[in-house]
Amino acid sequence: MFYWFLKWIAIGPVLRIVFRPQVEGAANVPSEGPAILASNHLSYADWLFMPLTLPRRVTFVAKAEYFTSPGLKGWFQRKFFSGAGQVPIDRGGASAAEGALSSARRILGEGELFGIYPEGTRSHDGRLYRGKTGVARLAMETRVPVIPVAVVGTDVVAPPGKKFGTLTRPCVRFGKPLDFSRYEGMENDRYILRSITDEIMYEIMRLSGQEYVDMYASRAKEEAKRGAAGNDPAPEAEKRAS
């Protein structure tokens, strides 16, 4: 109930009036039943604007710490994140990644929409980075369609590392559902998982118009930090290119 209060009364109307987000291809998202929404990740504002453009609830996973903090602040934090469509990572798994997949399986099993960022973290420079294969494993195990999503302009509204951005109209583009049933029975083949993930990332790249970098975003961030600190004037990516 709190989710719909935030979306239609408290936060959603303000975002619509101020930013006037645009949406393309929303008809590609099913009106009912489970689906995976695989999106690029430019800003922390992505998880606000993408669900705003759909009539259905979209659920993401968030760090369990957001739901376990004590005191009044912790109570408000739990209310906000759960109300904003986020659920804690299931720590019953062997790792945070497996915990996230476990939570995702439960959400999809309930017939809901699940949002995921295959890059694993926000892009620090606006480029699209290599996707992690968790999204492919999730699609193969649950046998639900994957809908590629491109959120454009949120890095202008809320730039990474900055408190304030520039007023612009974000755009959310939904691609056609991707069906990977042709790979049935191959969910444990790491080459198949990589192939599926790359296909998803290609569609996201096509929708977003971003430059693609065949490197994990977390590694690219580390190399950028080393370069900025002067410890490595020629980041590894540049060395390989040369």
Side-chain angles (χ1 to χ4, degrees):
M1 182 64 71
F2 191 46
Y3 176 89
W4 303 112
F5 170 75
L6 291 176
K7 183 170 183 175
W8 298 114
I9 298 176
I11 296 179
V14 175
L15 294 177
R16 289 189 183 93
I17 292 171
V18 174
F19 297 102
R20 299 180 298 129
Q22 305 172 81
V23 59
E24 299 174 10
N28 290 321
V29 181
S31 58
E32 59 183 20
I36 299 167
L37 303 181
S39 175
N40 61 335
H41 200 9
L42 293 172
S43 165
Y44 65 81
D46 294 339
W47 61 270
L48 289 173
F49 284 103
M50 191 255 273
L52 191 65
T53 61
L54 295 173
R56 295 185 61 186
R57 174 177 177 137
V58 181
T59 303
F60 298 84
V61 293
K63 292 188 297 185
E65 288 77 5
Y66 291 153
F67 299 84
T68 56
S69 299
L72 186 61
K73 179 182 178 181
W75 183 84
F76 277 109
Q77 192 168 259
R78 286 193 298 276
K79 282 292 184 181
F80 177 78
F81 280 102
S82 61
Q86 302 207 29
V87 296
I89 290 174
D90 182 354
R91 291 296 184 178
S95 65
E98 180 55 39
L101 291 177
S102 178
S103 296
R105 293 186 199 101
R106 176 175 56 80
I107 293 162
L108 292 168
E110 295 171 354
E112 301 295 332
L113 297 177
F114 177 73
I116 188 171
Y117 301 113
E119 292 169 278
T121 185
R122 294 193 301 268
S123 171
H124 68 289
D125 58 7
R127 297 188 291 178
L128 183 70
Y129 286 89
R130 194 180 200 209
K132 296 186 176 181
T133 58
V135 62
R137 183 174 291 107
L138 184 61
M140 291 291 287
E141 291 180 357
T142 60
R143 300 181 183 180
V144 305
V146 178
I147 299 170
V149 184
V151 183
V152 181
T154 51
D155 55 334
V156 177
V157 173
K162 296 182 179 180
K163 292 183 178 180
F164 302 103
T166 304
L167 190 63
T168 190
R169 292 188 69 184
C171 181
V172 183
R173 299 188 182 109
F174 297 95
K176 293 186 180 298
L178 302 175
D179 177 18
F180 299 108
S181 59
R182 63 188 183 276
Y183 295 120
E184 186 174 347
M186 304 181 190
E187 54 270 10
N188 294 320
D189 187 321
R190 63 189 181 95
Y191 294 106
I192 294 297
L193 295 178
R194 171 46 56 193
S195 177
I196 291 172
T197 304
D198 288 345
E199 182 176 339
I200 294 170
M201 299 309 294
Y202 175 81
E203 290 301 318
I204 294 174
M205 178 190 71
R206 189 179 61 81
L207 290 167
S208 69
Q210 291 171 272
E211 176 187 350
Y212 180 75
V213 181
D214 193 21
M215 178 194 298
Y216 291 119
S218 55
R219 181 177 178 183
K221 284 183 179 180
E222 292 174 1
E223 292 191 2
K225 287 179 180 179
R226 287 200 299 269
N231 297 329
D232 187 0
E236 192 64 29
E238 296 180 10
K239 291 177 182 177
R240 286 199 300 271
S242 61

